[in-house]
């Protein structure tokens, strides 16, 4: 028992000192100590089909899926939970996955891809067969597919998302 306590004391002090040193330099300890999880093998089908409006969107089910796959959301703003990923969709790295909370009248799911919409659109077309039409001839046009998914600029990256109105709750009968 004494040996175990001695080992614990020896380990605890250097670990705490290292954590305090990282905090002193502004490095978040949780990010250093947490290891990034690889995306699940079903990521492309589950998230990719939802984002392209091919599957139904159930924000509670997708939140649970993303929570299990990537851990807790790193931010909650704009009516959405934001999850960091190290996944790829359509050959482009995906940095964030967004799923709506219940404050919005819409249910939506989206991804932020580390590519421009001009490069991402042909990749999606070759992988899924979906065509996107530009809504205008502006410098940053919104691209829309027949099922309703959109590709928009998100700073220098592309955001692909599907947004639908929430279904009405079942009518009450007396």
């Amino acid at each position: 028992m004494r040996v175990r306590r001695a080992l614990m004391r020896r380990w605890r002090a250097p670990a705490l000192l290292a954590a305090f040193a990282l905090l002193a330099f502004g490095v978040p300890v949780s990010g250093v100590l947490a290891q990034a999880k690889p995306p699940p093998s079903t990521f492309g089908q589950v998230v990719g089909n939802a984002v392209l409006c091919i599957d139904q969107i159930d924000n509670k089910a997708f939140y649970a899926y993303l929570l299990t796959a990537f851990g807790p959301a790193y931010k909650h703003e704009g009516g959405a939970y934001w999850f960091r990923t190290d996944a790829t969709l359509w050959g482009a790295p995906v940095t964030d996955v967004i799923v709506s909370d219940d404050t919005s009248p819409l249910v939506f799911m989206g991804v932020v891809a580390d590519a421009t919409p001009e490069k991402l659109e042909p990749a999606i077309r070759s992988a899924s067969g979906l065509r996107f039409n530009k809504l205008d001839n502006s410098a940053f046009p919104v691209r829309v597919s027949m099922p309703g998914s959109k590709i928009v600029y998100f700073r220098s990256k592309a955001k692909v998302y599907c947004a639908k109105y929430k279904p009405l709750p079942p009518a009450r009968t007396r």
Side-chain angles (χ1 to χ4, degrees):
M1 187 69 165
R2 279 187 185 167
V3 173
R4 186 186 304 169
R5 284 186 189 166
L7 289 175
M8 287 298 286
R9 283 188 196 133
R10 280 188 216 145
W11 178 83
R12 194 178 327 170
L16 287 174
L17 287 175
F20 286 128
L22 289 173
L23 282 174
F25 288 111
V27 178
V29 176
S30 61
V32 172
L33 297 178
Q35 302 222 349
K37 292 180 172 180
S41 61
T42 57
F43 182 80
Q45 283 184 314
V46 172
V47 174
N49 288 344
V51 166
L52 295 177
C53 292
I54 296 171
D55 284 344
Q56 289 185 338
I57 299 176
D58 179 4
N59 61 339
K60 291 177 185 169
F62 281 113
Y63 177 83
Y65 175 83
L66 295 170
L67 183 67
T68 303
F70 301 109
Y74 74 93
K75 73 178 174 178
H76 180 214
E77 70 180 27
Y81 294 99
W82 293 66
F83 293 88
R84 288 214 196 279
T85 66
D86 288 327
T88 59
L89 281 175
W90 316 293
V94 173
T95 58
D96 300 297
V97 180
I98 308 156
V99 64
S100 63
D101 62 11
D102 284 334
T103 62
S104 171
L106 298 173
V107 177
F108 58 88
M109 177 91 178
V111 296
V112 177
D114 198 8
T116 62
E118 289 82 10
K119 292 182 181 179
L120 192 60
E121 180 185 358
I124 293 173
R125 187 180 320 126
S126 67
S128 69
L130 279 181
R131 292 188 175 270
F132 288 83
N133 298 319
K134 292 181 183 178
L135 291 183
D136 58 24
N137 290 327
S138 68
F140 305 105
V142 175
R143 294 161 169 83
V144 181
S145 70
M146 282 301 281
S149 60
K150 293 182 174 111
I151 303 174
V152 297
Y153 273 91
F154 184 72
R155 297 183 186 104
S156 62
K157 299 178 181 182
K159 185 190 291 183
V160 184
Y161 67 93
C162 179
K164 298 184 179 189
Y165 284 101
K166 289 181 185 177
L168 292 173
R172 284 197 222 171
T173 57
R174 290 185 182 210

